[in-house]
Amino acid sequence: MRRASTGPWRRVDRGDQDIARLFAPLGALSHEVATVAYLDGRRALLGMRHMVGATDWLELPIRDIIRDALALDARKLVMAHNHPSGIAEPSRADLAFTRRLVLCVEALDMRLIDHFVIAGDRMTSLRESGFL
């Protein structure tokens, strides 16, 4: 896990271009990577974790995500992962994982702001798609 520094994304607001810039580099990768951004109650960036997988799969341990969130005293999370296949639509596994993550973070009085699927320069928001 990497703690946030005072950079251009010090504050992350849903719906503006900060989120796109924060996760955009994932679109160029040839293997799956998931990134979780941990935020305080005012959406200041506290830290990030990057999880690396293979070309077509990625294991996302919810336990590690929750452990990081608790260690950072995060109140909100935003996550993204890429699809090197070029398809920016969530898979069934992506949706099932997101459901489980939402249940876990809500039980701990946190909120998953959004989960993005990125492929190249395309990005799908599960919140804007009505899934969250």
Side-chain angles (χ1 to χ4, degrees):
M1 181 177 51
R2 193 173 49 144
R3 282 202 176 262
S5 61
T6 54
W9 304 303
R10 185 71 181 127
R11 189 168 157 75
V12 179
D13 292 314
R14 182 183 60 157
D16 73 340
Q17 293 182 348
D18 286 350
I19 290 174
R21 282 189 304 209
L22 186 63
F23 296 121
L26 295 177
L29 300 176
S30 61
H31 54 281
E32 284 205 31
V33 174
T35 299
V36 180
Y38 301 93
L39 312 172
D40 70 9
R42 293 181 295 157
R43 296 189 179 172
L45 184 60
L46 300 170
M48 296 179 72
R49 176 182 286 275
H50 305 280
M51 294 161 271
V52 179
T55 55
D56 60 351
W57 65 269
L58 173 67
E59 181 179 340
L60 295 172
I62 289 177
R63 182 183 186 110
D64 292 347
I65 294 170
I66 297 298
R67 183 181 313 123
D68 292 344
L70 292 171
L72 291 168
D73 196 24
R75 297 289 179 223
K76 300 175 183 189
L77 290 78
V78 182
M79 75 168 297
H81 78 282
N82 67 324
H83 282 177
S85 66
I87 301 169
E89 295 300 317
S91 67
R92 286 185 180 168
D94 296 338
L95 297 175
F97 167 82
T98 303
R99 278 189 208 100
R100 288 192 316 275
L101 182 60
V102 166
L103 291 173
C104 291
V105 300
E106 286 180 351
L108 296 169
D109 198 27
M110 296 178 222
R111 181 169 182 243
L112 179 64
I113 294 174
D114 211 333
H115 180 173
F116 296 96
V117 179
I118 301 168
D121 60 354
R122 292 178 309 282
M123 181 182 292
T124 299
S125 160
L126 270 63
R127 179 158 307 280
E128 289 178 12
S129 298
F131 185 76
L132 290 176

